[in-house]
Amino acid sequence: MPDSGLVAALKKSEMFSSLDSAMLQKIASLARWRSFAAREMIFSEGEPCGGFYLLVEGAVKVYKLSGDGKEHVLHLVWPGETFAEAALFLGDTYPAYAETVRASRAVLFPSQPFLALLRAEPDVAIRLMGGMALWLRRLVGQVEVLALRGASSRLAGYLLGLQEGPAAVLPAPKAVVAAHLGMTPETLSRLFFRMEAQGVIRVRGRTISILDAPELRRIADGESDV
Amino acid sequence: MPDSGLVAALKKSEMFSSLDSAMLQKIASLARWRSFAAREMIFSEGEPCGGFYLLVEGAVKVYKLSGDGKEHVLHLVWPGETFAEAALFLGDTYPAYAETVRASRAVLFPSQPFLALLRAEPDVAIRLMGGMALWLRRLVGQVEVLALRGASSRLAGYLLGLQEGPAAVLPAPKAVVAAHLGMTPETLSRLFFRMEAQGVIRVRGRTISILDAPELRRIADGESDV
């Protein structure tokens, strides 16, 4: 019977969020708690991958060492996040060092039992992939929104400034407008396309019909994302 | 023998990037090309999930309909991206509508053969999970960097303004400083922590030692990310 604190920790992580109770119990039964002091090495680059971790408390830095021994931090791991799972799935050695920054508590999923479970019960793997796919979709959307945020607000403000009656007519070819707004032509097309798909504008050559001026204003003010 | 254009399309997508040639051939042999006109419905919400798609050319919008029939666009799919794979892995019906915006070409992975392959060859599933894990890690990092960008530049500029000799002493408790800089106390801690892990500063209570002033200047100027 796996301890219930462990099942609860798994449930709260993104990685295992799509699993049902029976699957969580199976995974929890092969996992084990590990505790680390502050500045303790968890694994080193080049070591065979003995498993991956879910951080429950504390903080961990994952880093590489350059030729002159300088640390290059690849990422910081926060509670609820897993690390080294790519190394496990790809059957590799650990590609970097992992060291705690603070005293930490983590769950270790040892490689061999974990892979054996996925091979014996492919439906666990398929559910895990479902959760990862949902998570990926959400992150792709977030990256796009964050990357376009400044650009979308500049474009919306520009269109409102050009607006005469129901439309704005671009005074120059789109590539020139893009340069004027400090973005690539691809970003401009993507923004036009997203605003059009959301029914905010309609683009016909250089004529941009403004279908939803209040929403365009909210985008310009950074209160709404495209 | 699967067609080589199909294998090439798979290779270029994030989803299949971690698979070796033999695995790609197996997946390609059960996939098939689909072509769609502009504004053609690919699937509807509530339909059993017949498979997932890799978009190769064109553009697709995935949307829900509200009670009054208004479209709410969940995401736009660009070439190289897959869609509906979460529905397939989670064994669900399609959770939304998918319709082309432009004439499009896609690769369909039909549910039953694809799931049968993953069950028969769990190592294909495990490699796919490895690729998804790498991709997730990259996106988590991007979201964090993008979300912290404005905040990190404000904090770095603030510390440089306070600097006297080798350190800056915060004039108020961290929660007050955070409010002054327009961020949550959690974001402030996270930024301090990241800058400390990268050797830019060292935080001891309210005293912030500045270890790498040129890098702090680059962060303030938006030329370097924390």
Side-chain angles (χ1 to χ4, degrees):
Chain A
M1 192 67 189
D3 84 82
S4 59
L6 215 150
V7 173
L10 264 60
K11 240 184 222 170
K12 272 193 285 186
S13 73
E14 283 274 6
M15 178 60 77
F16 298 110
S17 58
S18 65
L19 299 183
D20 62 31
S21 285
M23 291 173 175
L24 281 171
Q25 295 279 346
K26 279 177 192 160
I27 288 181
S29 71
L30 55 84
R32 27 181 219 267
W33 285 106
R34 296 283 310 270
S35 290
F36 301 94
R39 296 176 194 279
E40 185 173 343
M41 191 72 84
I42 301 177
F43 55 73
S44 297
E45 181 173 355
E47 242 179 55
C49 174
F52 76 102
Y53 293 84
L54 167 65
L55 188 66
V56 176
E57 283 168 33
V60 168
K61 64 178 170 184
V62 176
Y63 63 95
K64 294 262 213 186
L65 289 179
S66 63
D68 57 357
K70 201 172 174 319
E71 275 181 22
H72 174 65
V73 177
L74 299 177
H75 51 267
L76 292 167
V77 182
W78 305 97
E81 295 180 1
T82 46
F83 58 104
E85 69 282 7
L88 178 136
F89 294 134
L90 298 174
D92 278 333
T93 55
Y94 289 117
Y97 297 84
E99 189 185 312
T100 58
V101 183
R102 305 171 180 159
S104 295
R105 208 157 164 248
V107 179
L108 167 67
F109 305 90
S111 297
Q112 292 319 317
F114 191 80
L115 290 173
L117 172 65
L118 296 185
R119 291 196 178 101
E121 306 215 25
D123 283 341
V124 172
I126 289 167
R127 292 286 297 190
L128 270 172
M129 292 166 83
M132 292 168 90
L134 287 175
W135 187 11
L136 279 166
R137 167 56 57 201
R138 203 163 60 245
L139 289 170
V140 166
Q142 271 182 288
V143 167
E144 198 172 45
V145 163
L146 288 166
L148 292 180
R149 182 168 290 170
S152 67
S153 151
R154 291 201 299 285
L155 175 60
Y158 180 76
L159 292 176
L160 287 167
L162 284 178
Q163 182 177 13
E164 290 190 19
V169 178
L170 301 179
K174 284 175 187 155
V176 176
V177 169
H180 174 70
L181 293 171
M183 59 185 77
T184 62
E186 290 69 36
T187 298
L188 182 67
S189 310
R190 198 170 265 229
L191 285 171
F192 271 145
F193 184 59
R194 290 179 70 96
M195 288 183 187
E196 197 164 10
Q198 287 176 32
V200 179
I201 58 173
R202 190 176 55 228
V203 181
R204 290 292 175 271
R206 286 200 200 169
T207 302
I208 318 298
S209 305
I210 296 177
L211 309 179
D212 186 345
E215 178 64 11
L216 197 61
R217 166 57 54 204
R218 283 189 289 274
I219 296 170
D221 293 344
E223 289 161 14
S224 188
D225 289 315
V226 294
Chain B
M1 191 69 189
D3 84 82
S4 59
L6 214 148
V7 173
L10 264 60
K11 240 184 220 167
K12 271 192 285 186
S13 72
E14 283 275 4
M15 177 59 76
F16 298 110
S17 58
S18 65
L19 299 182
D20 62 30
S21 284
M23 290 174 176
L24 281 172
Q25 295 279 346
K26 278 177 192 159
I27 289 181
S29 71
L30 56 83
R32 29 180 217 266
W33 286 106
R34 297 282 310 270
S35 291
F36 300 95
R39 296 175 193 281
E40 185 174 342
M41 191 73 84
I42 301 177
F43 54 74
S44 297
E45 181 173 354
E47 244 179 54
C49 173
F52 76 102
Y53 293 85
L54 167 64
L55 189 65
V56 176
E57 284 168 32
V60 168
K61 65 177 170 184
V62 176
Y63 62 94
K64 295 261 213 186
L65 288 179
S66 63
D68 57 358
K70 203 171 171 322
E71 274 182 23
H72 174 64
V73 177
L74 299 176
H75 51 267
L76 292 167
V77 182
W78 304 97
E81 296 180 1
T82 45
F83 57 104
E85 69 282 7
L88 178 135
F89 294 134
L90 298 174
D92 279 334
T93 53
Y94 289 117
Y97 297 83
E99 188 185 313
T100 58
V101 182
R102 305 170 181 158
S104 296
R105 211 159 161 245
V107 178
L108 167 67
F109 304 90
S111 296
Q112 291 319 316
F114 191 79
L115 291 172
L117 172 66
L118 296 184
R119 291 194 177 102
E121 307 214 25
D123 283 341
V124 172
I126 289 167
R127 292 285 299 189
L128 269 173
M129 291 166 83
M132 292 168 88
L134 287 175
W135 185 13
L136 279 166
R137 167 57 56 200
R138 203 164 60 247
L139 288 171
V140 166
Q142 271 182 287
V143 167
E144 199 171 43
V145 163
L146 288 166
L148 292 180
R149 182 168 288 169
S152 66
S153 152
R154 290 201 299 284
L155 176 60
Y158 180 75
L159 292 175
L160 288 166
L162 285 177
Q163 182 177 13
E164 290 191 18
V169 177
L170 301 180
K174 284 177 187 154
V176 176
V177 170
H180 173 71
L181 293 171
M183 58 185 77
T184 63
E186 290 69 34
T187 297
L188 182 68
S189 310
R190 199 170 263 228
L191 285 171
F192 272 143
F193 184 60
R194 290 178 70 95
M195 288 183 188
E196 197 164 11
Q198 287 176 32
V200 180
I201 59 173
R202 190 176 55 231
V203 181
R204 291 291 174 272
R206 286 201 202 169
T207 302
I208 318 297
S209 305
I210 295 177
L211 308 179
D212 187 345
E215 178 65 10
L216 197 60
R217 167 56 55 203
R218 283 189 289 274
I219 295 170
D221 293 344
E223 288 160 14
S224 188
D225 290 315
V226 294

